[in-house]
Amino acid sequence: MGYISEGFISALHLLSSGNVETYSAVFTTLKASSLSMSGSLLIGIPLGFLLGYFEFPAKRHARAVVDTLLALPTVVVGLLVYAFISRRGPLGDFGLLFTVPGIAVAQMVLVIPIVISLTATAIEGLDRRLRLNLLTLGARGKQIALTSLSEARYAVLAAAVTAYGRAISEVGISMMIGGNIKWHTRTITTAIALETGKGQFAMGIALGLVLIFLAFAVNWALSVLKRKTD
Amino acid sequence: MNKKDCIYRLYDIRQAYGGRDVLDIPEICIEKGKSIGLSGPNGSGKSTMLRIMAFLETPLSGEVYFNEKKVNGDEPALRNQVTLLLQEPFLLKRTVFDNVAYGLKIRGISENLKDRVNHALRSVGLYPEEFAHRRWYELSGGEAQRVCLASRLVLRPKVLMLDEPTASVDRRSAVMMKEAIASIRQSYETTLFIASHDLIWLNQVTDIVFRMYEGRIVGSGTENVISGPWHPDKDGLWARELGDGQKIIVTQPEKDTSVAILDPTSIIISLEKPAEISAQNILQGKILQMNMSSDPEKVELHIQVARFSFTCIITRFAAEELNALPGLDIWVIFKATSVSWQ
């Protein structure tokens, strides 16, 4: 047990002393996850809204596909994206392999289905009386759509938080697409895996603490936002 | 009536859900500025009629004219002039102020927004200082329904429709809502449609009450509408049980679900049970409410007999003779042949 408590003490020292290697992994993680989340929310929320709001013939099938994609293993996503962005792949010319934007693109593939599915569920779960009431107040088309999205805002925010949690905690994609290159594409999760393998618990625990702190910070920000928009 | 006086004209309106007819209105004209009541049991077509006139539903067949303009599907300009308050209160997840301001904002009205919202809140008995910043979940059911009403009143609509507005609210809220509805009519000459089971209130706030049954308007005014089921009784007459051992006896209906119409002036009132009388219906009841009739020499009595409410019209002199007051136990007497059939 001694090495765990020693690991904690060393971790706190690494964080408080501003250890460059530790913070490099933290910033890479933040950069990749911010990029992937921006893209995922921009694409996922409108698609989720369309899927939840409108009735169309293949809706059930579309929903089944999206729900299936929720269970995509990160290594499978890594494998597929690797195949596409490697030199021989159709997107090889973009030079995304072993880059942070490359990690972000693969993370988008992972989390867009989460955003779509949870947004669609939030829209479908809106009170059926909402639309009728908006119509009686004179709203139509775009106004009804935007108000409906606004009414589902907490559930959509929760979808974003869930997606963010998935993006910052995945290992497979960052390892395969990023290559775990020190100072360059090493993220918190790949660093933890590497350092633990080397028996360096201190940095692993330090990065683990940062990961937990990030999750807490995002949820705390969400609850503050919820209180403010109530 | 001149066609130009009609805010609504409906021709051959039919609506059906799942193959079942729910509304059948051959022709009707609604005069501008009038207050119209719709009464009838659940499923009689009141809400369907309101939704069609609020342009929320398209009828299966027939034509709707609004201000002499034929309505074809969704017409924003028309819908902005008409609003409907639904039976159950429903608020957006916003503050009371934002809920009331919503309709104005989507119309792009920002001038005097705060004053208009505050005025609408005051008109339903909610002080803006106390309620404007409350969140949607910080209200009682009655307060929420009043906010819903305020969000319609603020629009100053040409037509305001209310579907059972006081069905799920407390007594105080009901009173405040009734006052607000009366006030908007006075201030903006708004045409009102009110669907309600509360006949007494309807008679107070409306110019005419359409009695609806199975999708049809079966009468207007103060007629008593008595629905079946009817079953054969003695001497070739038919009866409907009232649930307390008493029954209404009528002539043979066309079918057992026919609707009987009883003129309120055909009813005789007595303090004592008459010993020898040819009338087949001698029912014990209690006066619920007394109103002035449109004829100043007449008085309108609302009498509860079991679960049924009769309206009868007697002279002021007769009312004085009876010493009629709400709560008085009396006998309601009428002949089986007094009813007509719809």
Side-chain angles (χ1 to χ4, degrees):
Chain A
M1 286 296 284
Y3 70 94
I4 297 177
S5 52
E6 278 169 25
F8 262 105
I9 294 163
S10 303
L12 292 175
H13 178 68
L14 282 173
L15 290 172
S16 59
S17 64
N19 179 272
V20 185
E21 194 178 338
T22 307
Y23 280 96
S24 165
V26 171
F27 290 130
T28 306
T29 300
L30 288 175
K31 202 172 155 188
S33 59
S34 301
L35 274 174
S36 65
M37 281 311 297
S38 306
S40 301
L41 295 180
L42 275 174
I43 297 168
I45 291 176
L47 287 179
F49 179 81
L50 295 176
L51 186 60
Y53 191 73
F54 292 104
E55 295 299 325
F56 51 92
K59 179 171 175 164
R60 242 170 31 153
H61 302 295
R63 192 65 208 248
V65 170
V66 171
D67 290 346
T68 306
L69 293 176
L70 289 178
L72 268 181
T74 54
V75 284
V76 174
V77 175
L79 177 71
L80 286 172
V81 175
Y82 190 102
F84 272 82
I85 65 175
S86 65
R87 287 259 173 249
R88 288 182 295 168
L91 305 175
D93 292 343
F94 290 101
L96 289 169
L97 194 61
F98 306 132
T99 66
V100 173
I103 297 174
V105 167
Q107 283 183 349
M108 279 172 63
V109 175
L110 183 73
V111 300
I112 281 175
I114 298 174
V115 179
I116 293 177
S117 178
L118 295 185
T119 303
T121 303
I123 298 295
E124 283 168 353
L126 285 172
D127 196 312
R128 288 182 176 275
R129 294 171 298 168
L130 171 67
R131 186 180 152 76
L132 195 58
N133 269 278
L134 295 179
L135 284 169
T136 64
L137 289 168
R140 61 191 63 82
K142 199 170 136 193
Q143 291 163 336
I144 295 176
L146 288 175
T147 308
S148 300
L149 191 58
S150 160
E151 288 295 290
R153 58 191 179 273
Y154 301 139
V156 174
L157 277 174
V161 171
T162 307
Y164 191 75
R166 181 90 161 123
I168 60 167
S169 61
E170 63 77 26
V171 191
I173 288 171
S174 300
M175 194 71 86
M176 294 173 77
I177 305 297
N180 199 18
I181 304 165
K182 196 174 180 181
W183 311 116
H184 185 50
T185 58
R186 182 165 296 171
T187 63
I188 293 177
T189 52
T190 56
I192 290 173
L194 181 75
E195 299 302 328
T196 307
K198 290 192 316 194
Q200 300 293 321
F201 288 102
M203 185 179 271
I205 292 171
L207 291 169
L209 287 174
V210 173
L211 211 52
I212 292 167
F213 171 76
L214 281 178
F216 172 76
V218 169
N219 278 291
W220 179 78
L222 177 72
S223 72
V224 169
L225 197 63
K226 190 178 172 204
R227 261 208 311 276
K228 281 196 168 180
T229 53
D230 262 2
Chain B
M1 189 191 307
N2 190 329
K3 278 184 178 178
K4 284 185 179 170
D5 295 335
C6 299
I7 192 158
Y8 279 101
R9 280 192 294 125
L10 273 61
Y11 291 110
D12 292 326
I13 295 294
R14 277 193 63 230
Q15 184 64 304
Y17 301 137
R20 193 177 72 86
D21 286 346
V22 292
L23 195 66
D24 182 3
I25 309 286
E27 184 177 352
I28 196 169
C29 162
I30 307 297
E31 210 178 326
K32 282 176 191 163
K34 286 279 177 189
S35 177
I36 311 294
L38 299 175
S39 76
N42 289 335
S44 59
K46 305 186 297 287
S47 298
T48 306
M49 187 164 166
L50 289 184
R51 284 198 297 270
I52 287 174
M53 291 202 296
F55 315 122
L56 298 173
E57 238 176 70
T58 309
L60 202 64
S61 62
E63 292 171 353
V64 178
Y65 287 83
F66 182 76
N67 269 336
E68 286 311 302
K69 188 179 186 310
K70 191 177 172 186
V71 180
N72 295 309
D74 183 25
E75 297 191 39
L78 295 187
R79 204 195 278 161
N80 276 350
Q81 301 175 45
V82 178
T83 185
L84 166 67
L85 177 71
L86 300 164
Q87 185 174 346
E88 284 178 66
F90 180 87
L91 294 175
L92 298 172
K93 293 188 178 81
R94 301 168 186 210
T95 61
V96 166
F97 184 93
D98 286 335
N99 265 283
V100 179
Y102 180 83
L104 293 175
K105 284 182 180 170
I106 59 170
R107 284 166 174 76
I109 299 170
S110 54
E111 203 177 331
N112 298 327
L113 185 87
K114 193 176 174 190
D115 290 344
R116 282 180 72 165
V117 170
N118 287 349
H119 180 260
L121 282 172
R122 276 194 202 96
S123 71
V124 295
L126 299 172
Y127 297 106
E129 304 78 26
E130 190 186 344
F131 284 93
H133 297 292
R134 283 203 194 175
R135 296 174 176 102
W136 73 97
Y137 53 79
E138 295 174 321
L139 301 167
S140 69
E143 287 164 350
Q145 184 68 321
R146 280 194 271 165
V147 173
C148 291
L149 178 59
S151 64
R152 270 92 184 156
L153 297 179
V154 78
L155 303 173
R156 295 172 189 168
K158 282 208 166 68
V159 180
L160 173 63
M161 301 183 190
L162 305 118
D163 192 359
E164 301 282 359
T166 56
S168 54
V169 303
D170 56 282
R171 198 176 168 79
R172 179 177 149 72
S173 292
V175 172
M176 300 307 300
M177 289 175 72
K178 288 168 188 177
E179 286 176 9
I181 292 162
S183 164
I184 193 175
R185 188 184 173 199
Q186 206 171 21
S187 304
Y188 303 107
E189 294 179 344
T190 303
T191 305
L192 295 175
F193 284 88
I194 307 169
S196 178
H197 282 103
D198 186 348
L199 266 178
I200 296 168
W201 176 52
L202 270 189
N203 287 327
Q204 285 171 357
V205 297
T206 56
D207 301 313
I208 187 168
V209 177
F210 291 128
R211 311 293 168 109
M212 297 191 70
Y213 188 74
E214 291 189 342
R216 288 175 295 130
I217 295 174
V218 292
S220 62
T222 49
E223 299 101 333
N224 294 288
V225 178
I226 312 167
S227 58
W230 304 100
H231 60 80
D233 202 62
K234 292 181 290 188
D235 305 326
L237 296 171
W238 287 58
R240 183 202 140 160
E241 305 292 341
L242 289 175
D244 64 344
Q246 301 192 88
K247 57 189 175 184
I248 297 173
I249 297 169
V250 294
T251 52
Q252 185 173 359
E254 202 173 291
K255 48 185 182 177
D256 62 357
T257 54
S258 293
V259 178
I261 305 294
L262 176 64
D263 191 304
T265 56
S266 304
I267 297 174
I268 298 166
I269 303 298
S270 171
L271 288 174
E272 304 290 335
K273 185 176 184 181
E276 285 180 19
I277 193 163
S278 61
Q280 294 84 353
N281 290 286
I282 304 168
L283 305 168
Q284 192 170 27
K286 192 185 282 284
I287 297 176
L288 271 187
Q289 189 170 349
M290 297 171 66
N291 294 333
M292 288 299 291
S293 175
S294 48
D295 177 347
E297 288 304 309
K298 301 272 174 70
V299 176
E300 205 174 281
L301 301 182
H302 298 278
I303 302 157
Q304 189 79 37
V305 177
R307 278 176 297 175
F308 192 85
S309 174
F310 281 96
T311 301
C312 80
I313 295 175
I314 59 173
T315 62
R316 264 175 58 184
F317 177 72
E320 282 167 14
E321 283 279 294
L322 285 167
N323 212 2
L325 283 171
L328 183 69
D329 288 322
I330 51 163
W331 293 86
V332 173
I333 303 153
F334 60 92
K335 289 182 175 177
T337 52
S338 296
V339 300
S340 57
W341 293 102
Q342 278 283 334

